[in-house]
Amino acid sequence: MNKPTPAPSPLQDNLDKILETVPPDCVAPDKCRKIRDLICKQSDVLPTWLFVEAVEQVPVAISITDRQANILYVNHEFTQVTGYKAVDILGENESVLSDKCTPKIVYQRLWHEITSKRIWNGRLVNRHKSGRRYLADLIITPIIDDQGQISHFIGMHRDITQSYELEEKVKNQKTLIESVLNSSPIAMAVLDSDDQVILENQMYKTLVSDLKLREPAAFFLQTLRQEMGEQWEVLHGAHKSFAHREIRIDFGGSRAPRWFSCSGNWFFENDISAGAFFNAGKKEYLLLTLHDISLQRKQQEELHIQTLRALMAEEEQIQSLRETMLGVMHQIQQPVNQIQAALQLMQNKGDAQHEPVYALLRDIQQCGQTTLATLQNCMPGPKQTAIAPVNINKVLHEVIMLCTDKFLASGVIVDWQPTPVLPSLLGSEMQLRTLFKQLFDNAVAAMRRAGSDERILKIATHHENDLISVAIEDTGPGIPPHLRQKVFEPFYTTNGAAGYRTGVGLVMVKEIVNRHHGIISIDPEYRQGCRFIVSFPLNRNA
Ligand code: FAD
């Protein structure tokens, strides 16, 4: 069944009639004026008492004045806000409301605007009838008569003392928080869910120029995500904080490395956008703190280098003893092998006549074997070192520091070009240090031997596709193509003049690389000297 159409109200009926009389080409302001005039003419549609009641009951303090601001009318709310009843204030000037602490210039501007037939809106300090000060948010509108002249003013104001106090309290708290954050020696940044920095302290700003990074937070976040892997997602998902994650940045050249202890805290804030008014939502933020601990780490590193220097000296002595013993064993092994061959020959011939010589040779051969076994037993083995996450940049930087005296004495310039942040690989720090020291020593020796005018040792690190590689290049004579395999064989040396080396350095280097599942090669493309490339896979135990 169809619903009966409700009968139009007389008010609606009249309004429709009025609207019909407005010409369709009438522009907006003219249209409004036209409608107003028509309504005024038909006082039965909207009677005057309705306008008066509307003004009387509206919850805004309203006053109507003459052109000199002498009050002609006040509504009920005006009495509530100012404390003045109509009988107290009609005929008085609006200035009775003034607390006299509003600067003159404010009134001058106010009057300039309203006498220019424009609406003025601003804040004035008013005095309640009781003497209490309050802050008024006031709008003054000039009323224009038919001749286009100002006939009256309407003032509308609200007491905004409380909301102003609240606003100021928030501002003060913000200033306080900002000054506390800015005085902190720790860099802090608040990031939104799109990783955009929305708040940062002074210390964070200094990092921008200090680290020459456009957005340090983006750099640290990327590194932390890489270092923490799945753990990042787990913590983020559970909104658990992380603390004291150390990040080392190597800049290369003569710039010292920097260390930062990073912590993060996820927190929520109520969404204050208009859209969230009925659908309260929360926004997620991350407070990232970056504590520069470079000074402490530098001091620790200096102490560490001193210890390493002693350790490496000891290791070098042992290594040189090993090399000497290996050389001796190599020397003994040759005649022992020859005697063994001679014995084999004599045995094959079945020559009984030379049995005494045969017995003597057998004794010599046995004696040689015993000596070799004794030497082998006496040989100091490689030091057993713990397998732990190793930062290759750190190891290389330490070895550069350890070799600084040698570089200076040999006139070698070091060009250190690390990838700023490298992931750790599992390995033996001690062995890797020995490996790189051997390669540096070889490079320096080669450049000295060749008497190169320009002695540059360039050390660079790279990280790509779960592979860390180190390129060590010198400006020495290089290694000819036919010897590039041979140099990794035992007892092969191009360093004959130096005398004391026995050609086992690169054998040991290769051994260490193998133990770390890595690869070592000599770059055939490099022509200015020699370039060794050592690559290690990540996520493999040594
Ligand atoms: P006044 O001598 O009254 O005025 C100070 C300056 O205002 C003068 O130097 C002059 O440049 C300018 N001025 C004053 N009257 C006129 C005029 N008729 N024509 C041109 N310029 C003029 N003030 C409040 O403090 N609180 C209010 O809530 C408030 N409400 C107002 C509401 C309306 C509708 C109007 C029209 C004015 C209102 N005023 C209000 C302003 C008020 O009239 C005074 O100008 C103001 O309070 C300063 O008072 P006074 O005695 O210190 O100085």
Side-chain angles (χ1 to χ4, degrees):
M1 230 169 74
N2 281 344
K3 263 186 168 179
T5 320
S9 69
L11 181 67
Q12 184 63 51
D13 201 28
N14 270 324
L15 274 173
D16 289 345
K17 277 185 203 149
I18 288 166
L19 287 171
E20 275 164 25
T21 60
V22 178
D25 57 340
C26 205
V27 288
D30 290 346
K31 197 172 185 170
C32 288
R33 208 167 295 126
K34 197 117 198 152
I35 295 169
R36 190 192 63 193
D37 293 347
L38 288 165
I39 290 174
C40 287
K41 270 186 212 151
Q42 301 199 15
S43 56
D44 55 327
V45 178
L46 286 172
T48 316
W49 65 264
L50 189 58
F51 287 100
V52 175
E53 271 315 301
V55 175
E56 190 57 29
Q57 290 183 28
V58 79
V60 178
I62 293 181
S63 57
I64 300 176
T65 72
D66 63 13
R67 283 183 294 179
Q68 275 71 47
N70 296 315
I71 301 171
L72 306 173
Y73 166 82
V74 292
N75 72 349
H76 175 71
E77 185 66 11
F78 186 93
T79 305
Q80 297 298 310
V81 174
T82 65
Y84 292 104
K85 290 185 180 145
V87 284
D88 303 330
I89 204 156
L90 290 185
E92 296 287 341
N93 191 278
E94 291 274 7
S95 65
V96 293
L97 296 178
S98 169
D99 181 63
K100 309 291 177 204
C101 70
T102 302
K104 279 261 177 255
I105 184 79
V106 179
Y107 295 125
Q108 279 166 6
R109 283 194 193 128
L110 175 163
W111 279 105
H112 180 261
E113 284 300 294
I114 61 174
T115 51
S116 307
K117 301 178 188 170
R118 286 193 292 265
I119 296 170
W120 180 88
N121 180 202
R123 291 174 175 188
L124 299 174
V125 181
N126 274 3
R127 192 180 281 266
H128 187 270
K129 191 183 174 192
S130 64
R132 169 177 57 85
R133 275 179 181 162
Y134 70 91
L135 188 68
D137 184 28
L138 173 66
I139 297 174
I140 304 178
T141 307
I143 297 178
I144 314 294
D145 63 16
D146 291 346
Q147 274 75 51
Q149 299 302 312
I150 297 170
S151 65
H152 298 85
F153 292 113
I154 299 187
M156 290 163 275
H157 81 266
R158 286 181 308 120
D159 178 352
I160 57 157
T161 315
Q162 275 187 358
S163 58
Y164 172 75
E165 272 175 14
L166 222 71
E167 239 174 63
E168 290 307 294
K169 245 186 216 164
V170 171
K171 271 191 210 159
N172 287 347
Q173 267 175 6
K174 190 169 173 265
T175 314
L176 180 75
I177 293 169
E178 274 173 7
S179 62
V180 169
L181 289 182
N182 283 337
S183 60
S184 166
I186 298 172
M188 296 180 200
V190 175
L191 293 100
D192 65 13
S193 49
D194 297 323
D195 291 350
Q196 295 299 311
V197 175
I198 54 152
L199 186 75
E200 77 266 71
N201 71 347
Q202 207 51 44
M203 202 60 196
Y204 178 85
K205 285 181 191 147
T206 62
L207 279 189
V208 177
S209 55
D210 209 12
L211 301 181
K212 297 196 172 56
L213 292 170
R214 207 164 52 85
E215 196 57 274
F219 168 81
F220 280 101
L221 274 189
Q222 193 198 356
T223 311
L224 282 165
R225 281 195 179 114
Q226 214 169 51
E227 286 274 303
M228 290 165 71
E230 277 176 19
Q231 203 193 352
W232 173 275
E233 294 308 330
V234 173
L235 290 175
H236 186 189
H239 299 110
K240 285 192 174 154
S241 52
F242 60 89
H244 312 304
R245 294 269 165 181
E246 209 167 303
I247 290 181
R248 177 193 167 106
I249 310 175
D250 283 272
F251 299 99
S254 55
R255 285 179 74 188
R258 297 280 293 268
W259 287 263
F260 288 89
S261 171
C262 310
S263 304
N265 224 17
W266 281 279
F267 66 94
F268 292 98
E269 200 184 73
N270 287 338
D271 187 350
I272 51 164
S273 65
F277 187 76
F278 290 111
N279 297 308
K282 296 212 181 277
K283 279 189 174 173
E284 185 196 74
Y285 296 96
L286 170 69
L287 170 65
L288 185 68
T289 57
L290 308 164
H291 188 192
D292 188 349
I293 49 166
S294 304
L295 198 67
Q296 294 97 300
R297 286 287 170 274
K298 196 168 174 250
Q299 284 165 352
Q300 279 176 6
E301 201 180 58
E302 275 164 14
L303 281 173
H304 185 57
I305 294 284
Q306 279 174 24
T307 317
L308 279 181
R309 210 162 257 143
L311 257 173
M312 293 295 273
E314 190 191 327
E315 186 67 13
E316 244 181 32
Q317 268 182 351
I318 294 171
Q319 182 59 23
S320 128
L321 183 64
R322 265 167 64 88
E323 286 181 21
T324 312
M325 288 177 79
L326 278 168
V328 171
M329 283 166 73
H330 185 65
Q331 297 291 321
I332 297 172
Q333 189 71 58
Q334 275 174 350
V336 167
N337 288 349
Q338 281 163 357
I339 292 170
Q340 173 70 35
L343 277 171
Q344 198 61 50
L345 262 173
M346 288 167 84
Q347 209 169 5
N348 291 348
K349 273 190 182 173
D351 195 351
Q353 210 183 348
H354 295 103
E355 184 52 37
V357 182
Y358 183 63
L360 182 66
L361 285 176
R362 213 171 24 225
D363 282 352
I364 295 170
Q365 198 255 350
Q366 218 126 54
C367 185
Q369 293 289 14
T370 314
T371 310
L372 280 170
T374 311
L375 283 170
Q376 184 66 53
N377 284 341
C378 295
M379 187 138 68
K383 239 190 183 151
Q384 291 301 313
T385 53
I387 301 300
V390 181
N391 183 320
I392 291 289
N393 274 345
K394 173 179 174 269
V395 171
L396 284 163
H397 189 254
E398 278 171 3
V399 181
I400 293 172
M401 306 273 278
L402 284 168
C403 296
T404 302
D405 289 348
K406 187 178 271 181
F407 294 145
L408 287 174
S410 309
V412 172
I413 297 166
V414 176
D415 181 4
W416 170 221
Q417 293 191 10
T419 288
V421 177
L422 277 188
S424 304
L425 68 86
L426 277 177
S428 155
E429 203 170 282
M430 187 70 191
Q431 286 180 17
L432 290 168
R433 215 176 280 121
T434 309
L435 179 166
F436 292 122
K437 176 140 190 324
Q438 181 67 51
L439 291 180
F440 292 180
D441 284 350
N442 286 358
V444 173
M447 288 188 281
R448 284 179 68 137
R449 205 168 54 242
S452 316
D453 288 340
E454 200 182 37
R455 298 176 186 181
I456 300 172
L457 179 64
K458 183 174 158 187
I459 304 143
T461 56
H462 300 278
H463 169 221
E464 215 180 328
N465 300 335
D466 281 347
L467 204 71
I468 291 180
S469 55
V470 182
I472 298 166
E473 57 188 56
D474 60 53
T475 50
I479 299 174
H482 66 282
L483 295 180
R484 282 180 195 153
Q485 284 300 322
K486 227 172 158 48
V487 287
F488 291 107
E489 288 173 12
F491 307 110
Y492 178 81
T493 177
T494 55
N495 201 4
Y500 71 99
R501 305 302 280 189
T502 51
V504 290
L506 283 180
V507 179
M508 172 198 68
V509 163
K510 192 146 193 206
E511 239 178 70
I512 297 175
V513 173
N514 288 344
R515 250 178 259 150
H516 289 80
H517 308 282
I519 297 168
I520 184 164
S521 60
I522 298 168
D523 185 356
E525 306 295 321
Y526 187 72
R527 310 242 179 268
Q528 292 78 24
C530 183
R531 181 198 270 149
F532 278 92
I533 298 172
V534 193
S535 307
F536 301 104
L538 288 167
N539 313 321
R540 292 289 299 268
N541 284 321

